[in-house]
Every structure is written in structure tokens, then in C-alpha cells.
Amino acid sequence: MPALKKIALTVASAALLSGFVLSPAAAADKDKSDDKQPKPPSTMSSLGGEQLGKAGTQVNLGPGAPVLPKELTGRSWIVADAENGDVLAAHNAHWRLPPASTLKMLFADTVLPALQPTTLTHKVTEGELSGVGEGSSLVGIKEDHTYTVHDLWLGVFLRSGNDAVHVLSEMYGGVPQTVSAMQKHAEELQALDTRVVSPDGYDAPGQVSSAYDLTLIARSGLQKKDFREYAATASADFPGEEKKGKKRESFEIQNTNRLITGDIGVDPYQGIAGVKNGYTTHAGNTFTGVAERNGKVLLVTVMNPSAEESHAVYKEAAHLLDWGFAASGKVAPVGELVPPKSVDTGVGAATGGKGAAPAAGADQGSGGQAEASHASPASDGSSGVGIALAIIGGLLVFLAGGVFLVNRRWPLTGRARRTASAADPVEPADPAAPADPAEQSEPVDQSESAEQSEPAASAASAAPGAPASPSTPGAATDKS
């Protein structure tokens, strides 16, 4: 019996010891696994409101307000009222992360006003394409071929073509000057989380932005008529190869924003009207969108969701938009989208002083889409795929008292080819001279280069004749 008791005690002691040893090990393994996921910094900017500087999800639900969607996996996201700038909810809003091709919004907001009229033509040189990063998304621009500014912007917005970005940058005065102008414009917009390194969003060391900044940038870009129309275009014809003695053919390109065009597993979002998607190996998937429903206009940005399902960035953005429309008027804002520095929101705006007029660049450009541009089908006046926003007047206007608002005069939609109205006979701006600070903004990064929001959403989605984006093993790829 003593021997049996001794054996029993030995076994019991071993079991207890195993528990003490293994439990901490298991916990350590869990902690180690959690540590693999990047954590937001303990201190972030509080621009726009104290809550926006806090880590984690921020929302102030009121009576009758719906709860936030479950299983949101984005490292950072924000949903805001595009009219009054109220931030309805946010998650790590000021976390500085690689932005991918969503930074092309800043590029366009900076450069678009300076390159007018859109009928301006340019013959591409070999050197202008030499700086395009490996693995970049391309629209298919060829050296010694001539394109209009309008063609090039279609390549930027629809295919997120880094080749188009580099050509436009050269027309503006060169890549370094473009980057400098974009950084200055970001500062003017108070997008202070943003650091621009390249004009196309391709991954580059130190190139960052935030969900808050990307939303500010989108709101600024949507002031411009051309910007709105390009961002909302679902498909267009792009000039192909020039062959001696033959008429130049074209091929169709489609917008890679899947909330406009739809794709397997994701439906076009009712009321979507842009703005921009992105993807690189470093940034993951990023997306900023604007949508209108029942007289309400919302902006949403989602950065780098961890969900492995296809098109997670679009699905999470759509869920947040659905929540925002349902929660509007039932939540207390957690912050606000600040106006540009040059905007005086005080008495001067009401009396015609500083800030009484829209920021520089508002509604500049012809806004005319070339005959190659296609509108998208819609089931009713403010819903459907890719609303072509031929909005009358400025999207963002300053009312008495300096309120920063959106003019929601949406156009009728339908499956019709929009014929190009000739570009406004405006003298082209001097590309060598940077535009007004309020007209310049677009960060650059060298790890993204295309407008495909998923690695799988490659150039295969383009019509026959469209070039595939190169993909070099080991190289950073941009499928935004």
C-alpha cells in the first residue's frame, strides 16, 4: 500500500507540474501569435477630435442606433458624413499605414487642375516610362505614341496605371516636383499623417497615410468636376497601338473598383460614385469610397483587412456604408473631417472674406468625358453601378458661416455612351509651375502600382488587347 500511495502521489505531482509548465507555454504561444499582428501606436494624432486619436473602435451609439457590423478586420477604417464632415465611427483612424494606389487620389487632386484642357496631347518618350516600378499595374501606354490628357487620366482612375501616372508627372514638371507638390497639398488639406515618396502609390520606404487622411483627400478631390467623373466611370475605350497606314484601334478598360463594376462574390453597391482602390504586397488592400442614398452622402475608407476571403476590403466597406446610412442621425460624432488650412470657417466666410470661395481647384477642368467613356446601368436615379457624376456646381461648397458641405445634385443614370463635350478652351497651365497649394496633393509609394484591389484581380479583367501587369518574383507588386 505505501508503494501504491507513493506511485499515486508521483503521478499526481507530475500532472500538476505539467499543468504549471504547459499552461504558461500555451499562453506564451498565444501571445506570440498575437504579437505577429501589428498594433496601432499608443499615441496617434487627435486631429479632428480626441476620440480619433485613441486606438481601437470609436463610436457613440444613441437610441435606436444599429450596432457596428461584426467581423470588421481592417487595421484602420472610418465612415463619415461627406456633407458636414461628421465622423460617425472610426477604428485607429490616424494609424499611419502604406496607402497603395488610394494615394492616386492625392496625385489627381494635385495635378488635375494644372493639366488643362483635357484635349491636350502628349507624345510619350522612353524616359517617361523608365521609373515605373516592377510589378506595377499598367494601362498599356507605349513610347512614341500620342495620348490626350483625358486618355491618361482614364488610365489612372480606371486601371490605376502607374505608366499613366509617370507620364502625367513628367508633363507636370517631373516626378520630384510632383511629389513635392503632393506633399504640400497634403499639408494644406491637413492630411498630416501622409508622407509622399512617389506619385503612384507604389510601395516605398516611409510612404504612409491614414484612413483619416485618405478620407480628407477624397473629399477634396470630389470638389473637382473632372475628378468626380473619372472616379465614377465604369468603363472606357483606351487608345491602342498605332500602326502605319491603319486607323488606330482601341481596347476597353474597366474600373477596378469592384463596388462600381462588381465581381464574383461582390455586387455593385447601390449609390456608389467612386472613389479609389489599391493593393500592394506591403499595404494589403485599401479602399476609399463615396456613396449616396436617400439624400445622404457618406465617405468610407478601409485599410488592410486581415480577412482572407476574396474582396474583403469591398465587403467591409459596403457593410460600413450600410451601417452609416442606417445610423445617420442616431449616433453622436466621434470627430470631424477638418477643412483645408486655407478655409476660414469664421465670420469671413459669411461676409465674403477669406474662405468665402471654394478651395483652389474646385470644379476646375472641363469635366467633359471623351466619347470613349461609358456610363453604367442603374435601376433608379441614385443607385446602380458607377454613377457618372456630372454634378452641376461644386461638390464641396462653403455656405454662410463656413460650413463645408457637399452639393448632392446627382445626374440621371443609364446605359448610354457619354459623348465627349469638347474640353473647355482653357489655356493649359504651365506644368513647370506647381499649382496652388490647395490644388496639390497626392502621396507616392513604391510598393503599389495598379488599381486592382485584389492580387487575383489582375489585368485579366481587362478587355482583350489590354496589357497584363508584369509580375516579377520577389518584387513588390501593385494590383490596386
Side-chain angles (χ1 to χ4, degrees):
M1 289 297 292
L4 290 175
K5 285 183 179 181
K6 186 175 181 180
I7 293 172
L9 287 172
T10 302
V11 172
S13 298
L16 287 172
L17 183 59
S18 298
F20 285 123
V21 172
L22 294 178
S23 294
D29 287 343
K30 183 178 185 301
D31 291 341
K32 185 176 180 181
S33 176
D34 290 343
D35 288 343
K36 291 180 180 179
Q37 294 298 322
K39 301 291 193 299
S42 57
T43 302
M44 292 183 285
S45 169
S46 59
L47 182 67
E50 184 179 349
Q51 275 190 268
L52 296 179
K54 297 179 179 179
T57 301
Q58 306 300 318
V59 64
N60 301 325
L61 299 177
V67 297
L68 283 165
K70 296 180 180 179
E71 299 180 356
L72 293 173
T73 67
R75 290 183 183 175
S76 175
W77 54 259
I78 191 171
V79 55
D81 189 312
E83 292 183 278
N84 57 28
D86 285 347
V87 177
L88 307 183
H91 180 78
N92 301 325
H94 282 289
W95 191 356
R96 298 180 177 184
L97 297 167
S101 287
T102 48
L103 278 181
K104 287 185 172 77
M105 295 187 297
L106 182 56
F107 171 73
D109 196 31
T110 302
V111 175
L112 236 172
L115 299 181
Q116 297 294 334
T118 56
T119 52
L120 183 69
T121 60
H122 178 76
K123 189 172 184 178
V124 178
T125 67
E126 180 181 1
E128 291 170 343
L129 300 176
S130 61
V132 178
E134 289 187 68
S136 287
S137 56
L138 307 172
V139 67
I141 292 171
K142 298 182 180 296
E143 63 182 270
D144 297 326
H145 284 54
T146 299
Y147 301 87
T148 66
V149 168
H150 176 72
D151 295 330
L152 296 172
W153 282 117
L154 287 172
V156 171
F157 277 88
L158 273 66
R159 294 299 300 176
S160 199
N162 285 6
D163 47 358
V165 169
H166 279 256
V167 172
L168 288 165
S169 295
E170 291 299 330
M171 294 178 69
Y172 187 75
V175 169
Q177 180 164 308
T178 302
V179 169
S180 177
M182 288 166 57
Q183 187 66 58
K184 289 179 181 177
H185 188 46
E187 293 167 4
E188 155 62 18
L189 296 178
Q190 300 200 65
L192 305 181
D193 298 325
T194 297
R195 179 170 179 260
V196 182
V197 178
S198 76
D200 50 19
Y202 193 76
D203 285 340
Q207 179 159 277
V208 292
S209 189
S210 66
Y212 184 86
D213 280 14
L214 293 174
T215 307
L216 285 183
I217 292 164
R219 196 179 186 213
S220 175
L222 290 167
Q223 291 182 91
K224 300 170 179 63
K225 187 178 180 181
D226 283 354
F227 186 106
R228 296 193 298 269
E229 293 185 348
Y230 288 127
T233 300
S235 63
D237 294 332
F238 193 82
E241 186 175 358
E242 294 175 337
K243 296 181 180 179
K244 189 174 181 179
K246 294 185 178 181
K247 181 181 178 181
R248 189 175 186 179
E249 296 182 350
S250 62
F251 56 90
E252 185 179 84
I253 57 175
Q254 291 189 338
N255 200 319
T256 54
N257 177 348
R258 301 309 179 195
L259 290 190
I260 288 180
T261 58
D263 201 357
I264 297 174
V266 59
D267 295 325
Y269 190 82
Q270 180 185 14
I272 192 68
V275 170
K276 192 70 184 70
N277 55 302
Y279 172 82
T280 64
T281 51
H282 188 46
N285 288 288
T286 58
F287 176 71
T288 296
V290 62
E292 183 269 350
R293 189 179 292 178
N294 299 325
K296 179 67 66 176
V297 184
L298 298 181
L299 282 162
V300 64
T301 296
V302 177
M303 301 186 75
N304 201 348
S306 60
E308 295 182 0
E309 66 174 330
S310 177
H311 300 314
V313 73
Y314 298 111
K315 293 175 182 178
E316 294 189 18
H319 292 327
L320 283 169
L321 285 170
D322 285 343
W323 175 86
F325 287 123
S328 180
K330 301 175 183 177
V331 296
V334 297
E336 65 174 349
L337 299 177
V338 296
K341 288 181 180 179
S342 61
V343 176
D344 185 352
T345 58
V347 178
T351 59
K354 179 183 178 183
D363 269 324
Q364 294 193 29
S366 69
Q369 294 289 316
E371 59 184 348
S373 184
H374 304 281
S376 303
S379 57
D380 57 64
S382 64
S383 64
V385 184
I387 299 177
L389 299 184
I391 303 175
I392 301 172
L395 183 69
L396 299 180
V397 297
F398 304 103
L399 302 183
V403 182
F404 204 41
L405 290 184
V406 172
N407 178 352
R408 302 185 317 274
R409 301 182 67 177
W410 307 93
L412 296 177
T413 57
R415 183 74 176 174
R417 290 174 67 95
R418 277 185 291 157
T419 332
S421 51
D424 296 340
V426 181
E427 289 298 322
D430 180 6
D436 183 274
E439 300 174 357
Q440 310 182 33
S441 104
E442 165 93 6
V444 178
D445 178 7
Q446 294 180 343
S447 77
E448 320 174 13
S449 59
E451 277 292 332
Q452 323 244 348
S453 80
E454 300 272 344
S458 64
S461 63
S469 301
S471 180
T472 303
T477 57
D478 172 6
K479 300 296 182 182
S480 60

